[in-house]
Amino acid sequence: MKKHFKASSIFVLVAILIVLPQLVQHSIILGGDSLFHFNRFFDAEQQIVHGNLQYFMSTYGFSQSGRIVNAVYGPYVAYFNGLILYILKSWFWYQIFTGIFVSFISGISMYYLLMSNKINYIYAVFISSMYMMTYGVLNWITEQSMLSWGAMIVPLGLAVAIRLIRDREQPINIIEMSLVTSLFIETHILSALLLIFIYIIFGIVSICVVTSKKKLFVNLITSIGITIVLTSNIWLTLLEIYRSNKILAPFENEIPFQNGIINFTHDDRLLIIFAIIFIFQIGTMFFKITYVNFVNLVVTIVGGTLFLLTLPIIPWNYLFSHIPFISIIQYPFRLLPFSECLLLMGFSLTLTDLNHKLLDFSDAINGKLVNNAIKLTFFIIVSLTIMISQNNVYNVSLQWQSTTNIVHNTHSVEYTKNGVQLKKLFYSKDLGNALRYIWKPTPDYLPTKDHTENLHPYYQYDNEIVKNSSNKKEANKNGLRVKWMSTTNSYHNLGVVKYSDSNILINGHKPRKGEYYITDLGTLMVKSKLGRNVANISYQPVLFTTNMLFINLFSWMSFLVISLFITLKKFKKRQPR
């Protein structure tokens, strides 16, 4: 236990060092995905503040539009971040804390992967520290991409996958596989889909080497069943809204080769130190510099293949246009966290084998000297990587010091205030203050009509909802109340989204046919009466979905309690009497 505590302390220190340039400059980093996720977590935070939990509707964030986002995009993770924001009450300290948290957990999960594969302790600490500074993990600090929350637990997923080929007697630990896969689905669905793809690859290999195929399939089916129950809140919500709505899919990237691959001269997606390590690892396998065991061989081949797919040597534009389902990844560099983790895992296996040779060699000279030389080498490599990572964080943090534009990534970002004015708003005690003056009109998961070929979702969302200032919106226990004044009997844009299961009351009664209609983007248009008008909008899921959400919470609590009991029981058996 002492060595695990020491390792954890090192990971905390590395995480703090990574965010130090942002901390020193007291900067808030407004990256490519910041504003989208800020709205998600602000909505969750305000629901906690007011004790008004609306699982489906956004009643505080996203311009109080009532759109469904968190329910299909990691609801538990959203409420977890909302709780952090509620406690810290500051966007700056929220970014600092979550930057340290994501980095630290990524180190812990990598450490778990390596130690479960019996990697030398020194190597495990070294490789885990390095993984904390890979692009997938660091991207949360520099861009606030949820890819990082997936990358944070990628090593846990790969621990499950590698077990399939390492442990021929017990290739599947039901608790481990069920828990890890469920965490992925609850955190980041795209990462979960990539993990399942990895499972399939390692599962095919496992079928060829396990001692009992029957046991493998029984445990697999059991794990799938438990995972389906634990993640029922995600699947049921998706079925709920896709069942009776035409939902606008997330952004489709038509030019992945131009903006979705690793480009050494224009981005920092792959640090040169990692490139050297990966090339070294792949080279040791091809040239047989050292003994490559079966696990190392499979890990390096899969990791190396994924790594090659992120380089500008694959015709991704052609593949996206001719094999549509592939385009779900949007950017090929999203394969990088899995390839980085696999190749670092393979590198640690290679180091472990080389360590045995070094020990044999050190017996002939000074063993302590060789051991200290290895530690010094690792210290130098980690220190250099920390310095490079700090430089990347420093560069993006520097934007905050501008007096004219504090937004690091302005792509598709709209704002009515910037520079010093916007900076003051982000430091305001009202966490939603700044979000009223800067936004990213991302239209994901909005309900659209059929035959909307001329729909311009970003532009229409921006004008129909975000820039619509003619309404007074209030969150209540049922959803949203919208008030407006009208001098005519014309149709009025409420700036609120209506799904098929949304309920509306207009001036105290259910609207009749002709009293409202829905725009191509799902925005609610209501026929006004002269003078003061009030509309109430709520979302009422089918009873089965509501009941299953409560069952899902109970399932998680039961599963965690049972898992803890089994783990403690096994731990006690291992203790010497």
Side-chain angles (χ1 to χ4, degrees), residues 399-412:
Q399 189 69 51
W400 185 257
Q401 308 309 321
S402 171
T403 56
T404 55
N405 174 36
I406 62 171
V407 186
H408 166 58
N409 191 326
T410 57
H411 179 66
S412 298

Side-chain angles (χ1 to χ4, degrees), residues 10-23:
I10 292 172
F11 301 149
V12 170
L13 176 62
V14 172
I16 292 173
L17 289 173
I18 292 171
V19 302
L20 204 56
Q22 182 184 2
L23 181 62

